[in-house]
Amino acid sequence: MCQSGGQMLCEIKNMALSGDPELDGEIRKWIRWDKCASTACQIMDAVRAKDWDTLRKRLCTRISFGTAGLRACMRAGFDSMNELVVIQTAQGLCEYIKEQYPDPADWSGRGIVFGYDGRYNSHRFAELSAIVFLNNDFKVWLFKRYVATPMVPFAILRLQCLAGVMVTASHNPKEDNGYKVYWTNGAQIIPPHDEGIQESILNNLEPKGSSWDDSAMCSNTMLEDPYDIVVPPYFDILKKQLPCTSLEANGRCSLSFTYTAMHGVGYAFVKQAFARINLKPFISVCEQQEPDPEFPTTPMPNPEEGKTSLDLSIKTAKANSSQIILANDPDADRLAVAEVREDGSYKLFSGNEVGALLGWWSLELHKMREPDCDVSNCVMIASTVSSKILRAMAEREGFQFFETLTGFKWMGNKAIELQQAGKTVLFAFEEAIGFMVGTTVLDKDGVSAAGHLATMACYLRCKLCMTLQEKLRDIYETYGFHTTVSSYVICRCPPVIEQIFERLRTWDEGKADTYPTSILNGEYEIENVRDLTTGFDSSTGDKKATLPTSSSSQMITFTFKNGLVVTLRTSGTEPKMKYYAEMCGKPDEKNWAKLTNTMNTMVEAIVEEFYEPSKNGLQRRKE
């Protein structure tokens, strides 16, 4: 049986600990501060077992703000996700918001919104965060049921909140959870807010006793569920984005859709979306319909993984003669798409292919809504590792295309900047199946993307007698064939990752800013290199990159003389070294097979020569 906090403190006082003053101090802090019995016991069990190495890793290293917040394994320790770390994070976030908005009328009037998904502890982490803010006289909008991640940034704008938090680890394994932070503008936080929040957390580590007191939530007039205020308008806006002709076509179209929520929260929201925009009900993958933190039918709850995660969806679609499969990840901010082929198998579209389709659709929709519009004032956005198909469209159609760093935190904030400059932002996407159609939500949104994709499919079938595959081919015929490949190798040793990338930027006998000049013994020459870790760019006059740089992550882009562009980078949330390659053909280049074969040959050589998987003990992705 687990002891009380007081009993543990007494035991610690009478024990000889590790002898390392730093570690022993952190152990005592944890036992003194942590009011959660299970995590406190985890630390005490390690102390009794004298497992100092584990304790040092867990307590002497602190989780820090990464991709718009926190994400880590749920367990005891300052390096992990648990009640104590969540309270510390909420305290730091609260104090930072108070510094940025010093008028208490903003705290009580505008407040903050919290949402959570179906993972273990998500609800509890959201409640503990709410308690911290209630104790600081904030208005707190806390969803009282699971919500899709896009509802939080939408709620910030709808309710004019100061900030928002979604408790989710998105598509990570079941052991993980996260804390995704949005700022007043409805977009994920970027510098300087992330550094400011991190500093504020470190200055407010000691939890207040009241932070675990659930009574703060009882009959509190400052606490409110925003669901009925926020969710119906979200679907109203989705409907308004579509012209009446599209809504009518949705009702008439005979296409059948299969949908999976991947054991997440998307089902109820996509069901509402279909009903609101006059689409016939989809066929649900029943085994994956309801939120289940165990993710029992899929080892990787990530639809981006393709067939390994969509096996049940394909079986369900085949059994029901359904032409199109739509899949959300567990927090419903991403969308995967598949369509039946003539032979009865299913083509799984890549994120870049769906981006091409939804980019075309976004422009088509805008022209339908505003036939006499000035397209030159319209904008589309993609991340630097995503396909350049939107750039090719922009060159021909006359709208503007912008590239950002990887991640919707950059694209969302770029969209805001462009809107403030008077531009109309039509669409943004990243290859990791993230799509933002319009600016209702300034983040990737798998719910509205599902509604738009289904509507586009109905429009193509009923108006143009085309499948999604045929439309994609038409896009390539018009704007040029864009063939891409993206994958990763797994490396769980940060020093090895550092060594790999350092070798690439000191290629010429250890000299700084010298990079590979070719692959396959000079067969394919490199034209220029951009390193967004160091800020070096060989293509600019002053050799400095124009995009923002970050020394905390690895990212190098190589552009070859034959048109291939490949970016190597580390993941912000997983132990992966990713690679993204694209060969951009011109409209008059019709030998698509040759372009694809050349790209595949080059990518294999790049992985072997630059990452050296065998030498460095890297694990390849299981295709």
Side-chain angles (χ1 to χ4, degrees), residues 133-189:
F133 277 83
L134 288 168
N135 288 338
N136 280 272
D137 301 320
F138 271 72
K139 171 74 178 183
V140 172
W141 300 94
L142 172 65
F143 284 102
K144 291 186 178 177
R145 66 190 94 175
Y146 304 133
V147 290
T149 288
M151 298 304 141
V152 170
F154 179 73
I156 292 170
L157 296 180
R158 190 78 185 173
L159 301 170
Q160 297 185 306
C161 296
L162 300 178
V165 175
M166 178 68 186
V167 182
T168 179
S170 189
H171 56 279
N172 276 38
K174 67 179 183 180
E175 295 82 10
D176 292 359
N177 215 326
Y179 204 80
K180 191 174 185 179
V181 181
Y182 295 88
W183 197 241
T184 318
N185 60 8
Q188 296 177 47
I189 56 169

Side-chain angles (χ1 to χ4, degrees), residues 465-477:
C465 297
M466 296 176 81
T467 64
L468 294 173
Q469 293 161 80
E470 288 167 341
K471 184 61 205 177
L472 183 63
R473 185 175 185 86
D474 179 61
I475 288 170
Y476 290 152
E477 291 279 5

Side-chain angles (χ1 to χ4, degrees), residues 65 86 89-98 101 104-115 125-143 151-153 155-157 159-167 179-184 189 197 222-226 230:
F65 261 63
V86 165
T89 303
Q91 288 180 169
L93 176 61
C94 184
E95 291 305 316
Y96 182 78
I97 293 171
K98 286 159 76 172
Y101 295 95
D106 282 328
W107 315 344
S108 59
R110 299 175 66 183
I112 186 169
V113 60
F114 292 99
F125 291 166
E127 284 190 337
L128 287 169
S129 302
I131 291 168
V132 168
F133 277 83
L134 288 168
N135 288 338
N136 280 272
D137 301 320
F138 271 72
K139 171 74 178 183
V140 172
W141 300 94
L142 172 65
F143 284 102
M151 298 304 141
V152 170
I156 292 170
L157 296 180
L159 301 170
Q160 297 185 306
C161 296
L162 300 178
V165 175
M166 178 68 186
V167 182
Y179 204 80
K180 191 174 185 179
V181 181
Y182 295 88
W183 197 241
T184 318
I189 56 169
I197 293 167
M222 297 290 280
L223 178 65
E224 195 170 345
D225 180 0
V230 167

Side-chain angles (χ1 to χ4, degrees), residues 199-217:
E199 184 181 353
S200 184
I201 292 168
L202 296 177
N203 291 334
N204 293 277
L205 289 177
E206 184 163 0
K208 295 174 183 174
S210 59
S211 296
W212 268 278
D213 187 356
D214 293 340
S215 66
M217 301 180 66

Side-chain angles (χ1 to χ4, degrees), residues 584-596:
C584 305
K586 302 293 182 186
D588 60 354
E589 292 182 284
K590 299 302 181 185
N591 193 340
W592 296 358
K594 183 181 178 182
L595 289 171
T596 302

Side-chain angles (χ1 to χ4, degrees), residues 438-507:
T439 54
T440 304
V441 172
L442 292 162
D443 195 12
K444 55 185 177 286
D445 181 353
V447 177
S448 68
H452 277 290
L453 196 291
T455 300
M456 174 176 60
C458 290
Y459 174 85
L460 289 170
R461 185 64 59 97
C462 295
K463 297 281 185 181
L464 305 179
C465 297
M466 296 176 81
T467 64
L468 294 173
Q469 293 161 80
E470 288 167 341
K471 184 61 205 177
L472 183 63
R473 185 175 185 86
D474 179 61
I475 288 170
Y476 290 152
E477 291 279 5
T478 305
Y479 305 109
F481 182 61
H482 286 59
T483 180
T484 62
V485 61
S486 60
S487 192
Y488 57 81
V489 293
I490 295 173
C491 182
R492 303 184 188 279
C493 182
V496 170
I497 294 174
E498 186 78 26
Q499 178 185 319
I500 288 169
F501 279 90
E502 192 56 28
R503 170 176 169 263
L504 291 175
R505 57 175 64 97
T506 56
W507 193 262

